[in-house]
């Protein structure tokens, strides 16, 4: 199956890198498309219509507001169209591409390293076979949760933002270690390994957060004191507020 990308920005690059297949792609900035095709193999073409003509499945990776303009210029009959356009309902994309089978998903940029957390809308467009093709494609770049479209905003506000949140939390943690005297490169390695290890442990225990937390928290011990400081600093309220802020912004 040949995959096409319309728009070659951050998300297209992440997904294309994770899939690592030769691509056919276009962008209003031709140099951006050429750079992505040169990196991954395949072909950059001058128009979006050429992407649709050459590919079997096309991922819409332009900005949400460009939906109707892009759709008006291409022939999508019989194609698989995959939309990751933030805040754009599946019904609107289907109306723009009436002759295609359209599926909606929401990834994170961690798809670039095949560790994405991906929400796929549980609407098979009356074609279960094609839906399974889409699901299998996305499973190559991460963990896929099939869920209702109403929950897709939560995927954005959780998984989509996760690389940014993890970066800012890591940065603060590294800075704290540096303030106490650890050289920055070592602090960065330590935080990276500690977070990866902690997540692996949580996953191995079915995300039983309470069990993992209790296992490192002796009564009156150092972890208990650290956790109390985190609670006093408002870590839960901050994550709640961040969820509200992203959803209120239209995710
Ligand atoms: N970044 C994320 O983490 C993330 C996560 C989930 C979903 N998304 C969704 O992914 C989409 C792309 O986001 P992004 O972060 O990758 O944005 P981006 O980096 O700005 O990439 C969009 C690309 O599309 C190009 N483009 C604009 N108009 C076009 C057209 N008519 N035909 C072809 N290409 C066109 C843009 O060129 P110009 O810049 O020159 O306009 C740009 O290179 C958005 O709809 C967003 O909601 C992003």
């Amino acid at each position: 199956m040949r995959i096409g990308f319309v728009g070659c920005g951050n998300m297209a690059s992440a997904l294309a890198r994770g899939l690592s297949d030769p691509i056919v792609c276009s962008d209003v900035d031709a140099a951006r498309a050429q750079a992505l095709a040169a990196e991954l193999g395949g072909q950059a073409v001058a128009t979006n219509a050429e992407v649709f003509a050459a590919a079997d499945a096309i991922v819409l990776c332009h900005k949400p507001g460009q939906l109707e303009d892009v759709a008006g210029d291409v022939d999508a009959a019989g194609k698989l169209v995959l939309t990751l356009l933030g805040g754009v309902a599946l019904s609107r994309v289907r109306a723009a591409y009436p002759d295609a089978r359209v599926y909606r998903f929401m990834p994170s940029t961690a798809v670039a390293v095949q560790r994405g957390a991906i929400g796929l809308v549980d609407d098979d467009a009356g074609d279960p076979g094609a839906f399974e093709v889409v699901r299998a494609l996305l499973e190559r770049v991460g963990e896929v949760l099939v869920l209702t479209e109403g929950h897709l905003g939560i995927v954005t506000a959780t998984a989509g933002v996760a690389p940014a949140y993890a970066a800012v939390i890591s940065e603060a943690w590294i800075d704290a270690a540096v303030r106490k005297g650890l050289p920055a490169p070592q602090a960065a390695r330590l935080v990276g390994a500690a977070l990866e290890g902690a997540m692996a442990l949580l996953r191995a225990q079915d995300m039983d957060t309470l069990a993992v937390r209790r296992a490192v928290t002796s009564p009156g011990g150092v972890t208990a004191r650290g956790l109390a400081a985190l609670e006093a600093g408002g870590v839960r309220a901050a994550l709640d507020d961040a969820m509200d802020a992203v959803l209120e912004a239209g995710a």
Side-chain angles (χ1 to χ4, degrees):
M1 185 168 67
R2 190 143 192 226
I3 314 285
F5 291 88
V6 174
C8 294
N10 293 312
M11 202 60 241
S13 302
L15 193 54
R17 285 184 184 120
L19 290 168
S20 284
D21 287 337
I23 55 172
V24 54
C25 62
S26 60
D27 195 289
V28 283
D29 180 343
R32 213 174 287 152
Q34 279 154 11
L36 194 60
E39 179 187 333
L40 296 168
Q43 195 189 1
V45 291
T47 64
N48 298 335
E50 289 171 81
V51 174
F52 273 77
D56 308 296
I58 299 94
V59 193
L60 304 178
C61 294
H62 49 73
K63 292 289 190 191
Q66 294 150 347
L67 171 67
E68 281 81 12
D69 283 350
V70 171
D73 285 340
V74 302
D75 177 5
K79 304 287 180 178
L80 285 181
V81 171
L82 277 57
T83 168
L84 48 71
L85 307 179
V88 180
L90 187 52
S91 57
R92 194 175 139 203
V93 185
R94 285 194 175 146
Y97 290 98
D99 302 326
R101 284 155 302 162
V102 182
Y103 302 95
R104 181 175 180 206
F105 70 106
M106 189 49 64
S108 64
T109 50
V111 290
V113 289
Q114 285 140 9
R115 300 291 296 273
I118 303 163
L120 171 62
V121 175
D122 66 351
D123 182 336
D124 67 7
D127 188 340
F131 184 80
E132 287 312 316
V133 167
V134 172
R135 187 211 292 253
L137 182 78
L138 296 176
E139 281 175 342
R140 288 173 50 195
V141 292
E143 186 161 330
V144 177
L145 281 84
V146 177
L147 31 71
T148 61
E149 187 169 33
H151 286 148
L152 215 56
I154 302 172
V155 176
T156 305
T158 307
V161 298
Y165 290 12
V168 84
I169 289 165
S170 299
E171 194 180 306
W173 220 342
I174 292 164
D175 283 349
V178 169
R179 257 196 317 279
K180 294 297 175 191
L182 200 62
Q186 286 173 310
R189 277 182 61 197
L190 186 69
V191 168
L195 280 173
E196 272 182 17
M199 282 319 302
L201 190 63
L202 275 162
R203 300 270 277 180
Q205 297 193 35
D206 256 347
M207 293 303 288
D208 186 344
T209 53
L210 185 62
V212 169
R213 192 153 59 82
R214 285 269 157 82
V216 290
T217 313
S218 354
V222 293
T223 306
R225 284 167 188 267
L227 285 171
L230 277 180
E231 299 282 2
V235 66
R236 287 175 196 268
L239 286 168
D240 250 359
D241 289 350
M243 174 68 70
D244 290 346
V246 175
L247 292 177
E248 279 159 21

